Amino acid sequence: MLDFSRSTPLTLGVELELMIVNRRHYNLTRGSDDLLALIARGGHGFDIKPEITQGMIEIGTAVHRDTREMLAELIAIRALLVNTAEKLNLGLSGGGSHPFQHWSEQRIYPKERYRLVSELYGYLAKQFTVYGQHIHIGCPDGDVAVRLTHYLARYIPHFIALSASSPFHQGIDTQFQTSRLTSVNAFPLSGSMPMVHDWNEFNDYFARMAKLGIVESMKDFYWDIRPKPEYGTVEIRICDTPLSIDTPVLLAAYAQMLARRCFEEDWNDIQPDHQLTYSYNRFQACRFGYDAVLVDAAAQRQTSLLEDMLDTLNQLTPHAIALGAESEHAQLRERVLKRNIDSQWLRDIYGESGSLAEVVRQASERWMYGEPGRG
């Protein structure tokens, strides 16, 4: 049985997976060991750790209620990382996938869990060298976490469009706004949480899966959104890692506004119809971004993703005010109105330079040295 740890509702934390690149050809490089070892000498106190392959690291924030404090912490972590990476002549970058790396060249990080993942999933483990942002939202109990997980599924296309930054894969323009999620889809326990209604039902489901030998812990579920009982949170896992340091905070603020509305309205409209169009809407957002067409099965209608996001932001205005997040709300609205999307920024650089190495160079410069608000 899984015990759900109570946490303060609407508190936030984010995790970001970052690329490690060489500063000559801007391909991925196996730099995580050297980078982490040098960082550790300073006794920094931040959450900085390895990820599944050696061309990536993960950073995480502390628990925050205020997104401005979260941004300040991310900027401090970035300063430490940049100072250390420069000493090793390494670059760091956001983005959901490296544009021209080849999975066969990657090496699994020597950690027991990653070794087991590699043994189970074979080449898929190396193909999982993709980079995402995870957002944790505090929940008071497991029943609320189940409701919030189902509630946020409706808005997954929004998070995809706001964070999309992986148009290139294996040297090719995929014509998708985010290609990263195709790598996630390959895992058998990806997708969405089953239609459970409360924490007891979730525990029954987990117990059956564990008894069958399919899972051992929540880490075995690669769902787009999942409860995280040991933290007392719901974890959104759908986002590409953004290219700039302020975007992760805006995404977290959006999640916080949505969660507040869910809590305030005591939403509990859990029904199978909501899952009928989940995969289709998710694909539309991955492929077309703001131009996606969304299907609402319950309302029996179609709408554009752009209009749906603007309508949602209008509905969230009182929640933004209650959270003191008016600035973040305004920035999100501006991004949607301007159709600001990282994948197009990357395509524009490639269109001007004809070089994917130049795409990575500029993306790395933007993450390492760009200022908040740059977009």
Side-chain angles (χ1 to χ4, degrees), residues 107-348:
R107 294 293 178 268
I108 300 296
Y109 191 87
K111 185 177 177 181
E112 180 64 13
R113 171 163 172 78
Y114 299 147
R115 184 184 65 78
L116 294 173
V117 169
S118 180
E119 289 178 358
L120 176 60
Y121 292 112
Y123 81 106
L124 293 181
K126 290 184 179 181
Q127 285 203 337
F128 209 45
T129 306
V130 290
Y131 303 82
Q133 172 183 351
H134 300 172
I135 305 167
H136 289 268
I137 309 163
C139 295
D141 57 56
D143 290 345
V144 171
V146 167
R147 294 204 308 270
L148 181 60
T149 300
H150 287 305
Y151 179 82
L152 290 172
R154 160 72 174 77
Y155 302 100
I156 280 300
H158 297 196
F159 287 95
I160 292 173
L162 286 167
S163 67
S165 58
S166 53
F168 301 105
H169 182 68
Q170 303 278 291
I172 302 295
D173 187 333
T174 64
Q175 299 185 42
F176 277 61
Q177 302 301 332
T178 169
S179 65
R180 165 182 158 267
L181 292 173
T182 60
S183 297
V184 180
N185 290 347
F187 286 80
L189 298 176
S190 61
S192 59
M193 185 177 74
M195 192 56 59
V196 297
H197 292 78
D198 55 36
W199 193 244
N200 283 335
E201 279 191 28
F202 185 90
N203 255 318
D204 289 343
Y205 167 79
F206 181 86
R208 292 197 303 271
M209 294 290 280
K211 186 175 181 180
L212 292 169
I214 297 173
V215 300
E216 292 183 357
S217 75
M218 285 298 300
K219 289 184 177 180
D220 295 319
F221 295 115
Y222 290 84
W223 299 332
D224 298 335
I225 319 171
R226 67 184 182 190
K228 194 73 170 173
E230 62 269 39
Y231 292 168
T233 65
V234 164
E235 181 185 20
I236 302 172
R237 301 163 48 81
I238 197 76
C239 302
D240 284 0
T241 298
L243 299 180
S244 54
I245 198 74
D246 56 331
T247 304
V249 176
L250 294 180
L251 294 169
Y254 192 44
Q256 189 182 42
M257 295 173 208
L258 287 166
R260 186 180 190 278
R261 184 170 70 169
C262 177
F263 295 168
E264 289 293 309
E265 296 178 357
D266 198 23
W267 183 91
N268 197 25
D269 185 25
I270 301 171
Q271 55 175 296
D273 271 1
H274 294 320
Q275 286 196 329
L276 287 176
T277 58
Y278 181 86
S279 295
Y280 178 81
N281 289 342
R282 182 182 187 273
F283 164 81
Q284 280 279 316
C286 291
R287 174 68 175 87
F288 300 109
Y290 294 126
D291 293 324
V293 174
L294 302 185
V295 179
D296 186 334
Q300 295 286 298
R301 70 185 184 95
Q302 294 187 359
T303 186
S304 75
L305 176 56
L306 189 70
E307 290 177 0
D308 195 59
M309 294 179 74
L310 290 173
D311 287 345
T312 301
L313 284 166
N314 286 339
Q315 295 165 20
L316 290 175
T317 298
H319 301 284
I321 294 170
L323 292 166
E326 296 97 325
S327 174
E328 290 81 359
H329 183 272
Q331 291 178 64
L332 286 163
R333 182 177 175 80
E334 182 180 12
R335 287 189 178 216
V336 176
L337 287 170
K338 291 183 175 179
R339 303 168 63 88
N340 186 332
I341 191 166
D342 281 348
S343 55
Q344 189 57 50
W345 187 85
L346 295 167
R347 283 192 172 103
D348 289 345

Side-chain angles (χ1 to χ4, degrees), residues 87-106:
K87 294 175 181 177
L88 296 169
N89 199 29
L90 296 173
L92 299 167
S93 182
S97 67
H98 188 278
F100 60 90
Q101 64 92 12
H102 292 284
W103 65 264
S104 60
E105 298 171 356
Q106 304 313 313

Side-chain angles (χ1 to χ4, degrees), residues 356-375:
L356 289 176
E358 178 63 14
V359 170
V360 180
R361 187 193 72 78
Q362 290 202 37
S364 177
E365 293 285 311
R366 179 172 168 181
W367 196 88
M368 294 174 73
Y369 306 115
E371 295 299 323
R374 182 170 175 177

Side-chain angles (χ1 to χ4, degrees), residues 16-20 55-59 81 93-94 131 241 367:
L16 299 173
E17 296 160 345
L18 300 171
M19 303 181 201
I20 306 173
M56 58 197 306
I57 58 168
E58 180 182 279
I59 63 175
L81 288 173
S93 182
Y131 303 82
T241 298
W367 196 88

